[in-house]
Amino acid sequence: MRYEDFHRQSIEDPEGFWAEQAKAIHWHKAPERILDYSRPPFRKWFVGGETNLCFNAVDRHLDERGDQLALVGYSTETNSVRELTYRELHREVNAFAAVLQSLGVGKGDRVVIYMPHTVDAVFAMLACARIGAIHSVVFGGFASLNLALRIDDARPTLLVCADAGIRGGKVLPFKPLVDEALARAQFPPRHVLVVNRGLAPSLDLVPGRDLEYGPLREQHLDADVPVTWLESNEPSYILYTSGTTGKPKGVQRDVGGYAVALALSMWSIYDVRAGQVMFSTSDIGWVVGHSYNVYGPLIAGATSILYEGLPTTPDAGIWWKICERYGVRTMFSSPTAVRVLKKQDAAYLTRYDLSKLQYLFLAGEPLDEPTVEWITQGLGKTVIDNYWQTETGWPVVSLMPGLDMKPVKFGSPGLPVPGYDLRLINEATGEDVGVDEKGVLVIRPPLPPGCLSTVWNNDERFLAGYFGHFREQLYSSLDWATRDAEGYTFILGRTDDVINVAGHRLGTREIEESVSSHPGVAEAAVIGVHDAVKGQVPVVFATLKRLPGADEDEHETAREMLQTVADQLGAVARPSRVYVVNALPKTRSGKLLRRSLQALAEQRDPGDLSTLDDPSALEEVRRALERGPEAGS
Ligand code: ATP
Ligand code: MG
């Protein structure tokens, strides 16, 4: 089918379109109504229908593909591989669900899962889904303050954690962080369930509160836990956003709409069907992990690969080695991870047999042209930029090779995904902008299935934070974009990432693209810094490629960066200073923390650093600021 017809149908006749898509999943009870939009902008999909995410992800496949691989946990941190067929996964999930029930967890109860990217975490998630408990996965390795904030927001009955995470060979015990978080929290759970991987030196179980999973699993290994059927709009999980722009929001997801949206995306966008293999390098702590490490591939009857480890350990060929071993068809990663590979030898990209690999999807932040060109050429595969948010749960702008592949345009994720009525709105007037004009990317409600139902326990924040920006009730993505004559959408960055230089409004993304086009640059962050004369001036923080044998002069490279921007974008955009650093401050999900950079550059307090990944990156920036710029003044 033509993409254009498919998309048009989804907008003109949403109920007909989604009624058709809903057939892709199992319903215990068929929906009575496809859409209830009587209380905009809240909406309910598949009203009265009863289903279950765990049943659709696991039980449903037992007859036809019980012996097919469902899940692979590949770890270069513990040098281990765990492979589970659908039947084995079913057994583990039932055991976990029985343990949850034995601890008094039931329908509607929240369970915080604070675990590394392992198959055990998936068992815990699916077990919650099975019994109607609401999971809230907190990225393993977030500090105790982050964990405590999320606990107090979600108020869980139970917390499930591992004894430890491990990153770059360094063991990070989780239990002390959990203990600290529980001491801080106002609403700690009754019990802590610890999955012992044998990594931490001790567990220090608190009697009466903490339990070890292993012995309980033994007791419940042959349990058969009935599926709890849920009305389509009941909550399935809560997931907090990355917190790039401020305090994380608890995105609340439904059951039926999410399952249907994922099913549609698996064949039409990712071109993965039952029996095929998908490998997402995300972490279960993020939305990509939820949708495309856990629920999406399993609902589709595919095999999902979880990788625990750095992309460069034991060497930069590890991803491709995994692709060869399992015959991966579709891979999903992030621009930031590809930039890590880009600092290494491109020969790693062709060392393994990648004949089964068709696509690499990249999402999470702007995909700059030098990076996408490098990986496209190096791999010789189709690389597709993917734009979406924790809030949406699945892609908003993408190309759809499983349906009708359109040409890739570097710099653009492509076209609106079916279900999304996208518009670009002038911030001041609220009118639609013209071709190639910049506007705020908005979704005309009702939001399609899969998108958030609300912000957990906070309908006001849902309304004000997303729908309160324009006269018309529109969902604001808080991202800038343009659209060309063929409908391709180009994401320009966040609405708060615009800087104002002597009255000119410049997007930081454009300047970053320009700086990154210098062959010596690995990654660049551009921020607006207060200036008494011009209002703001662009300032660059850049990391350089350290290629073997290269003998670069940092000052020279920095001066060339300034010239590149002036040549490409004009003199107004010419950054006033360039700082060369070894690392840029990022969130734990790999996004640039521009707000902290800006604060430091303006000698302000860097603010909430709880989402910062590596504190030494901030030290780097402090030192660079003290030392003075490599170019500019
Ligand atoms: P918070 O909302 O708490 O500040 P966050 O926006 O970083 O955190 P996510 O939901 O993980 O949390 O990220 C979604 C955002 O990431 C998008 O709104 C957009 O700014 C950016 N993004 C995602 N994919 C792309 C892409 N392909 N191109 C450009 N930007 C992207
Ligand atoms: Mg956001």
PDB file of all heavy atoms in Angstrom, residues 133-157:
ATOM      1  N   ALA A 133      -0.165  -5.343  37.525  1.00  0.00           N
ATOM      2  CA  ALA A 133       0.569  -4.360  38.328  1.00  0.00           C
ATOM      3  C   ALA A 133       1.220  -3.351  37.372  1.00  0.00           C
ATOM      4  O   ALA A 133       1.508  -3.678  36.222  1.00  0.00           O
ATOM      5  CB  ALA A 133       1.627  -5.055  39.177  1.00  0.00           C
ATOM      6  N   ILE A 134       1.445  -2.145  37.852  1.00  0.00           N
ATOM      7  CA  ILE A 134       1.975  -1.067  37.006  1.00  0.00           C
ATOM      8  C   ILE A 134       3.473  -0.953  37.257  1.00  0.00           C
ATOM      9  O   ILE A 134       3.885  -0.598  38.362  1.00  0.00           O
ATOM     10  CB  ILE A 134       1.273   0.258  37.368  1.00  0.00           C
ATOM     11  CG1 ILE A 134      -0.241   0.126  37.170  1.00  0.00           C
ATOM     12  CG2 ILE A 134       1.846   1.418  36.563  1.00  0.00           C
ATOM     13  CD1 ILE A 134      -1.033   1.271  37.778  1.00  0.00           C
ATOM     14  N   HIS A 135       4.289  -1.268  36.249  1.00  0.00           N
ATOM     15  CA  HIS A 135       5.719  -1.151  36.519  1.00  0.00           C
ATOM     16  C   HIS A 135       6.223   0.250  36.224  1.00  0.00           C
ATOM     17  O   HIS A 135       5.681   0.968  35.384  1.00  0.00           O
ATOM     18  CB  HIS A 135       6.551  -2.215  35.812  1.00  0.00           C
ATOM     19  CG  HIS A 135       6.499  -2.249  34.319  1.00  0.00           C
ATOM     20  ND1 HIS A 135       7.009  -1.252  33.532  1.00  0.00           N
ATOM     21  CD2 HIS A 135       6.024  -3.199  33.466  1.00  0.00           C
ATOM     22  CE1 HIS A 135       6.859  -1.592  32.261  1.00  0.00           C
ATOM     23  NE2 HIS A 135       6.252  -2.749  32.176  1.00  0.00           N
ATOM     24  N   SER A 136       7.257   0.620  36.959  1.00  0.00           N
ATOM     25  CA  SER A 136       7.949   1.858  36.675  1.00  0.00           C
ATOM     26  C   SER A 136       9.433   1.533  36.728  1.00  0.00           C
ATOM     27  O   SER A 136      10.011   1.347  37.799  1.00  0.00           O
ATOM     28  CB  SER A 136       7.587   2.926  37.712  1.00  0.00           C
ATOM     29  OG  SER A 136       8.241   4.129  37.355  1.00  0.00           O
ATOM     30  N   VAL A 137      10.016   1.406  35.548  1.00  0.00           N
ATOM     31  CA  VAL A 137      11.420   1.046  35.485  1.00  0.00           C
ATOM     32  C   VAL A 137      12.241   2.317  35.660  1.00  0.00           C
ATOM     33  O   VAL A 137      11.995   3.317  34.980  1.00  0.00           O
ATOM     34  CB  VAL A 137      11.767   0.375  34.136  1.00  0.00           C
ATOM     35  CG1 VAL A 137      13.247  -0.006  34.093  1.00  0.00           C
ATOM     36  CG2 VAL A 137      10.892  -0.848  33.897  1.00  0.00           C
ATOM     37  N   VAL A 138      13.173   2.268  36.586  1.00  0.00           N
ATOM     38  CA  VAL A 138      14.070   3.397  36.804  1.00  0.00           C
ATOM     39  C   VAL A 138      15.449   2.958  36.323  1.00  0.00           C
ATOM     40  O   VAL A 138      15.929   1.897  36.714  1.00  0.00           O
ATOM     41  CB  VAL A 138      14.114   3.798  38.291  1.00  0.00           C
ATOM     42  CG1 VAL A 138      15.141   4.903  38.514  1.00  0.00           C
ATOM     43  CG2 VAL A 138      12.734   4.233  38.758  1.00  0.00           C
ATOM     44  N   PHE A 139      16.038   3.750  35.458  1.00  0.00           N
ATOM     45  CA  PHE A 139      17.320   3.408  34.870  1.00  0.00           C
ATOM     46  C   PHE A 139      18.315   2.993  35.948  1.00  0.00           C
ATOM     47  O   PHE A 139      18.572   3.734  36.895  1.00  0.00           O
ATOM     48  CB  PHE A 139      17.840   4.603  34.075  1.00  0.00           C
ATOM     49  CG  PHE A 139      19.203   4.394  33.504  1.00  0.00           C
ATOM     50  CD1 PHE A 139      19.410   3.473  32.494  1.00  0.00           C
ATOM     51  CD2 PHE A 139      20.287   5.115  33.970  1.00  0.00           C
ATOM     52  CE1 PHE A 139      20.668   3.265  31.969  1.00  0.00           C
ATOM     53  CE2 PHE A 139      21.555   4.922  33.448  1.00  0.00           C
ATOM     54  CZ  PHE A 139      21.747   3.989  32.449  1.00  0.00           C
ATOM     55  N   GLY A 140      18.872   1.794  35.795  1.00  0.00           N
ATOM     56  CA  GLY A 140      19.824   1.270  36.778  1.00  0.00           C
ATOM     57  C   GLY A 140      21.069   2.134  36.776  1.00  0.00           C
ATOM     58  O   GLY A 140      21.629   2.397  35.730  1.00  0.00           O
ATOM     59  N   GLY A 141      21.475   2.591  37.910  1.00  0.00           N
ATOM     60  CA  GLY A 141      22.645   3.448  37.938  1.00  0.00           C
ATOM     61  C   GLY A 141      22.282   4.905  38.165  1.00  0.00           C
ATOM     62  O   GLY A 141      23.165   5.722  38.398  1.00  0.00           O
ATOM     63  N   PHE A 142      20.987   5.243  38.093  1.00  0.00           N
ATOM     64  CA  PHE A 142      20.600   6.571  38.567  1.00  0.00           C
ATOM     65  C   PHE A 142      20.956   6.630  40.049  1.00  0.00           C
ATOM     66  O   PHE A 142      20.848   5.629  40.756  1.00  0.00           O
ATOM     67  CB  PHE A 142      19.083   6.761  38.437  1.00  0.00           C
ATOM     68  CG  PHE A 142      18.663   7.563  37.242  1.00  0.00           C
ATOM     69  CD1 PHE A 142      17.468   7.283  36.595  1.00  0.00           C
ATOM     70  CD2 PHE A 142      19.432   8.613  36.774  1.00  0.00           C
ATOM     71  CE1 PHE A 142      17.064   8.027  35.499  1.00  0.00           C
ATOM     72  CE2 PHE A 142      19.029   9.363  35.679  1.00  0.00           C
ATOM     73  CZ  PHE A 142      17.843   9.069  35.046  1.00  0.00           C
ATOM     74  N   ALA A 143      21.337   7.775  40.505  1.00  0.00           N
ATOM     75  CA  ALA A 143      21.718   7.911  41.906  1.00  0.00           C
ATOM     76  C   ALA A 143      20.484   7.802  42.803  1.00  0.00           C
ATOM     77  O   ALA A 143      19.355   7.824  42.341  1.00  0.00           O
ATOM     78  CB  ALA A 143      22.425   9.231  42.114  1.00  0.00           C
ATOM     79  N   SER A 144      20.745   7.697  44.106  1.00  0.00           N
ATOM     80  CA  SER A 144      19.652   7.421  45.037  1.00  0.00           C
ATOM     81  C   SER A 144      18.622   8.548  45.081  1.00  0.00           C
ATOM     82  O   SER A 144      17.438   8.305  45.279  1.00  0.00           O
ATOM     83  CB  SER A 144      20.208   7.159  46.426  1.00  0.00           C
ATOM     84  OG  SER A 144      20.845   8.315  46.908  1.00  0.00           O
ATOM     85  N   LEU A 145      19.062   9.777  44.837  1.00  0.00           N
ATOM     86  CA  LEU A 145      18.111  10.889  44.857  1.00  0.00           C
ATOM     87  C   LEU A 145      17.070  10.733  43.744  1.00  0.00           C
ATOM     88  O   LEU A 145      15.866  10.893  43.961  1.00  0.00           O
ATOM     89  CB  LEU A 145      18.858  12.226  44.689  1.00  0.00           C
ATOM     90  CG  LEU A 145      17.940  13.435  44.547  1.00  0.00           C
ATOM     91  CD1 LEU A 145      17.165  13.670  45.837  1.00  0.00           C
ATOM     92  CD2 LEU A 145      18.727  14.691  44.182  1.00  0.00           C
ATOM     93  N   ASN A 146      17.549  10.391  42.548  1.00  0.00           N
ATOM     94  CA  ASN A 146      16.640  10.149  41.424  1.00  0.00           C
ATOM     95  C   ASN A 146      15.649   9.058  41.710  1.00  0.00           C
ATOM     96  O   ASN A 146      14.474   9.141  41.383  1.00  0.00           O
ATOM     97  CB  ASN A 146      17.452   9.671  40.214  1.00  0.00           C
ATOM     98  CG  ASN A 146      18.117  10.807  39.540  1.00  0.00           C
ATOM     99  OD1 ASN A 146      17.457  11.574  38.883  1.00  0.00           O
ATOM    100  ND2 ASN A 146      19.403  10.935  39.749  1.00  0.00           N
ATOM    101  N   LEU A 147      16.187   8.002  42.307  1.00  0.00           N
ATOM    102  CA  LEU A 147      15.348   6.856  42.633  1.00  0.00           C
ATOM    103  C   LEU A 147      14.299   7.277  43.665  1.00  0.00           C
ATOM    104  O   LEU A 147      13.112   6.970  43.522  1.00  0.00           O
ATOM    105  CB  LEU A 147      16.242   5.729  43.150  1.00  0.00           C
ATOM    106  CG  LEU A 147      15.582   4.402  43.478  1.00  0.00           C
ATOM    107  CD1 LEU A 147      14.797   3.860  42.286  1.00  0.00           C
ATOM    108  CD2 LEU A 147      16.638   3.382  43.910  1.00  0.00           C
ATOM    109  N   ALA A 148      14.724   8.013  44.673  1.00  0.00           N
ATOM    110  CA  ALA A 148      13.805   8.433  45.738  1.00  0.00           C
ATOM    111  C   ALA A 148      12.678   9.315  45.177  1.00  0.00           C
ATOM    112  O   ALA A 148      11.512   9.162  45.549  1.00  0.00           O
ATOM    113  CB  ALA A 148      14.568   9.180  46.828  1.00  0.00           C
ATOM    114  N   LEU A 149      13.026  10.213  44.263  1.00  0.00           N
ATOM    115  CA  LEU A 149      12.012  11.102  43.684  1.00  0.00           C
ATOM    116  C   LEU A 149      10.956  10.294  42.933  1.00  0.00           C
ATOM    117  O   LEU A 149       9.759  10.560  43.021  1.00  0.00           O
ATOM    118  CB  LEU A 149      12.663  12.085  42.704  1.00  0.00           C
ATOM    119  CG  LEU A 149      13.538  13.168  43.329  1.00  0.00           C
ATOM    120  CD1 LEU A 149      14.267  13.956  42.243  1.00  0.00           C
ATOM    121  CD2 LEU A 149      12.687  14.106  44.188  1.00  0.00           C
ATOM    122  N   ARG A 150      11.432   9.290  42.194  1.00  0.00           N
ATOM    123  CA  ARG A 150      10.500   8.476  41.415  1.00  0.00           C
ATOM    124  C   ARG A 150       9.662   7.582  42.323  1.00  0.00           C
ATOM    125  O   ARG A 150       8.479   7.349  42.054  1.00  0.00           O
ATOM    126  CB  ARG A 150      11.270   7.673  40.367  1.00  0.00           C
ATOM    127  CG  ARG A 150      11.731   8.570  39.201  1.00  0.00           C
ATOM    128  CD  ARG A 150      12.852   7.930  38.401  1.00  0.00           C
ATOM    129  NE  ARG A 150      13.298   8.744  37.279  1.00  0.00           N
ATOM    130  CZ  ARG A 150      14.070   9.832  37.364  1.00  0.00           C
ATOM    131  NH1 ARG A 150      14.462  10.270  38.563  1.00  0.00           N
ATOM    132  NH2 ARG A 150      14.428  10.497  36.288  1.00  0.00           N
ATOM    133  N   ILE A 151      10.278   7.091  43.404  1.00  0.00           N
ATOM    134  CA  ILE A 151       9.524   6.275  44.367  1.00  0.00           C
ATOM    135  C   ILE A 151       8.397   7.114  44.972  1.00  0.00           C
ATOM    136  O   ILE A 151       7.253   6.685  45.056  1.00  0.00           O
ATOM    137  CB  ILE A 151      10.462   5.738  45.480  1.00  0.00           C
ATOM    138  CG1 ILE A 151      11.366   4.640  44.906  1.00  0.00           C
ATOM    139  CG2 ILE A 151       9.668   5.227  46.677  1.00  0.00           C
ATOM    140  CD1 ILE A 151      12.471   4.189  45.851  1.00  0.00           C
ATOM    141  N   ASP A 152       8.717   8.333  45.353  1.00  0.00           N
ATOM    142  CA  ASP A 152       7.683   9.159  45.984  1.00  0.00           C
ATOM    143  C   ASP A 152       6.575   9.544  45.016  1.00  0.00           C
ATOM    144  O   ASP A 152       5.443   9.776  45.414  1.00  0.00           O
ATOM    145  CB  ASP A 152       8.317  10.396  46.624  1.00  0.00           C
ATOM    146  CG  ASP A 152       8.954  10.047  47.964  1.00  0.00           C
ATOM    147  OD1 ASP A 152       8.574   8.998  48.536  1.00  0.00           O
ATOM    148  OD2 ASP A 152       9.821  10.804  48.437  1.00  0.00           O
ATOM    149  N   ASP A 153       6.905   9.628  43.746  1.00  0.00           N
ATOM    150  CA  ASP A 153       5.870   9.941  42.767  1.00  0.00           C
ATOM    151  C   ASP A 153       5.003   8.717  42.473  1.00  0.00           C
ATOM    152  O   ASP A 153       3.794   8.826  42.334  1.00  0.00           O
ATOM    153  CB  ASP A 153       6.519  10.460  41.475  1.00  0.00           C
ATOM    154  CG  ASP A 153       5.517  11.194  40.596  1.00  0.00           C
ATOM    155  OD1 ASP A 153       4.962  12.211  41.072  1.00  0.00           O
ATOM    156  OD2 ASP A 153       5.269  10.752  39.461  1.00  0.00           O
ATOM    157  N   ALA A 154       5.636   7.545  42.389  1.00  0.00           N
ATOM    158  CA  ALA A 154       4.891   6.338  41.998  1.00  0.00           C
ATOM    159  C   ALA A 154       4.298   5.586  43.193  1.00  0.00           C
ATOM    160  O   ALA A 154       3.343   4.834  43.051  1.00  0.00           O
ATOM    161  CB  ALA A 154       5.802   5.397  41.207  1.00  0.00           C
ATOM    162  N   ARG A 155       4.852   5.773  44.375  1.00  0.00           N
ATOM    163  CA  ARG A 155       4.390   5.104  45.599  1.00  0.00           C
ATOM    164  C   ARG A 155       4.197   3.603  45.417  1.00  0.00           C
ATOM    165  O   ARG A 155       3.078   3.075  45.499  1.00  0.00           O
ATOM    166  CB  ARG A 155       3.104   5.743  46.106  1.00  0.00           C
ATOM    167  CG  ARG A 155       3.281   7.231  46.329  1.00  0.00           C
ATOM    168  CD  ARG A 155       2.152   7.811  47.116  1.00  0.00           C
ATOM    169  NE  ARG A 155       2.306   9.252  47.223  1.00  0.00           N
ATOM    170  CZ  ARG A 155       1.479  10.043  47.866  1.00  0.00           C
ATOM    171  NH1 ARG A 155       0.421   9.535  48.471  1.00  0.00           N
ATOM    172  NH2 ARG A 155       1.679  11.336  47.926  1.00  0.00           N
ATOM    173  N   PRO A 156       5.302   2.894  45.204  1.00  0.00           N
ATOM    174  CA  PRO A 156       5.197   1.466  44.881  1.00  0.00           C
ATOM    175  C   PRO A 156       4.929   0.583  46.097  1.00  0.00           C
ATOM    176  O   PRO A 156       5.276   0.937  47.228  1.00  0.00           O
ATOM    177  CB  PRO A 156       6.586   1.151  44.317  1.00  0.00           C
ATOM    178  CG  PRO A 156       7.492   2.114  45.022  1.00  0.00           C
ATOM    179  CD  PRO A 156       6.694   3.371  45.208  1.00  0.00           C
ATOM    180  N   THR A 157       4.326  -0.584  45.813  1.00  0.00           N
ATOM    181  CA  THR A 157       4.145  -1.627  46.818  1.00  0.00           C
ATOM    182  C   THR A 157       5.449  -2.383  47.000  1.00  0.00           C
ATOM    183  O   THR A 157       5.756  -2.884  48.073  1.00  0.00           O
ATOM    184  CB  THR A 157       3.062  -2.618  46.317  1.00  0.00           C
ATOM    185  OG1 THR A 157       1.900  -1.869  45.994  1.00  0.00           O
ATOM    186  CG2 THR A 157       2.735  -3.657  47.352  1.00  0.00           C
TER     187      THR A 157
END
